[in-house]
Amino acid sequence: MAVSLWRTTTCILKRSVSLASVRYGHGPPSKQVDIHKGKVLSDEVGLPDSLGHSVGIERYELLANQAGDDDPFEMKVVKRAKGTFEEPTIIKSVNNKRMIGCICEEDALTINWMYVHKGEPKRCECGYWFKLEELHPKTYE
């Protein structure tokens, strides 16, 4: 009985000593540290606007809208031109190919999707011709 009491008390003492040494391994705790120190210039500074938080494609689109370009990716509907082989409907793209959809009839409920490649005019099932031309990317600052 005395041996088990001795083991229990020594285990409790060892635990409290080891916890204290880990807890105060770098010295006694000092005053509270300000984790935001140096991150805010002054009290007058607020959160940035949506342009300040945006990156990548979202930022490109916001800069284009500020510059007055409401369609920076050329995604709006293009009206068909004459549609002949000599005068095809011009589609612009930054890439070498683009997927387009042709609504062949005015009351059609389906869209005929097709790829148009640069330098190769493409004919739709309805007979209209499309041609892909290079679009130079715009820079906004």
Side-chain angles (χ1 to χ4, degrees), residues 83-88 121 129:
T84 62
F85 183 76
E86 291 80 23
E87 295 181 36
W129 286 86

Side-chain angles (χ1 to χ4, degrees), residues 20-121:
S21 64
V22 170
R23 195 175 293 152
Y24 299 114
H26 296 288
S30 60
K31 63 181 183 177
Q32 184 108 8
V33 178
D34 183 16
I35 59 171
H36 298 292
K37 184 178 180 185
K39 294 183 181 177
V40 179
L41 297 176
S42 68
D43 293 336
E44 300 170 2
V45 175
L47 289 174
D49 58 350
S50 61
L51 185 62
H53 280 288
S54 63
V55 294
I57 292 176
E58 181 185 3
R59 183 175 181 83
Y60 180 81
E61 190 173 10
L62 287 172
L63 287 171
N65 286 338
Q66 283 184 351
D69 186 4
D70 61 338
D71 188 23
F73 303 114
E74 299 288 327
M75 297 294 288
K76 285 193 173 180
V77 175
V78 176
K79 296 236 180 194
R80 288 188 299 205
K82 243 181 180 178
T84 62
F85 183 76
E86 291 80 23
E87 295 181 36
T89 303
I90 303 298
I91 307 295
K92 297 192 181 247
S93 177
V94 179
N95 300 322
N96 291 331
K97 69 177 181 178
R98 184 166 183 171
M99 179 183 261
I100 63 168
C102 179
I103 303 173
C104 298
E105 298 174 11
E106 192 174 320
D107 298 330
L109 298 175
T110 60
I111 300 174
N112 291 334
W113 296 100
M114 61 187 149
Y115 279 103
V116 181
H117 296 272
K118 191 189 298 183
E120 302 173 16

